[in-house]
């Protein structure tokens, strides 16, 4: 996960259903700081982490077959 990163925002609080945004930061007080284009202008938006889902638009690189996760 790289910040800043292009994401799709899903958040019923702001009626976002796959809205394109840029994740700028994850605030320690429990908010995502995003930049969203609204009517051609860039706006900063803070959405609560507990009420939002983000999907990074860039796919993750392929993992090697020998890659193991330690548990």
């Amino acid at each position: 996960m790289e910040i800043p990163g292009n994401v799709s925002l899903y958040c019923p609080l702001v009626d976002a259903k796959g809205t394109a945004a840029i994740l700028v930061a994850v605030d320690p007080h429990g908010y995502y700081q995003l930049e969203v284009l609204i009517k051609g202008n860039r706006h900063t938006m803070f959405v609560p982490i507990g009420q939002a889902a983000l999907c990074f638009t860039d796919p993750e690189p392929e993992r090697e077959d020998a890659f193991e996760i330690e548990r």
Side-chain angles (χ1 to χ4, degrees):
M1 174 173 94
E2 291 200 24
I3 296 177
N6 295 322
V7 297
S8 294
L9 169 65
Y10 298 87
C11 180
L13 185 67
V14 294
D15 197 30
K17 299 173 185 167
T19 302
I22 298 172
L23 175 62
V24 176
V26 179
D27 185 90
H29 297 99
Y31 291 88
Y32 292 122
Q33 179 183 349
L34 304 165
E35 289 183 351
V36 181
L37 283 177
I38 300 173
K39 296 182 180 179
N41 296 311
R42 185 177 296 170
H43 296 269
T44 297
M45 181 182 291
F46 291 90
V47 294
I49 291 172
Q51 296 183 22
L54 300 180
C55 178
F56 281 82
T57 56
D58 296 327
E60 292 294 320
E62 292 295 321
R63 293 191 178 112
E64 297 177 22
D65 291 337
F67 181 77
E68 292 183 26
I69 298 176
E70 221 176 282
R71 295 179 190 225

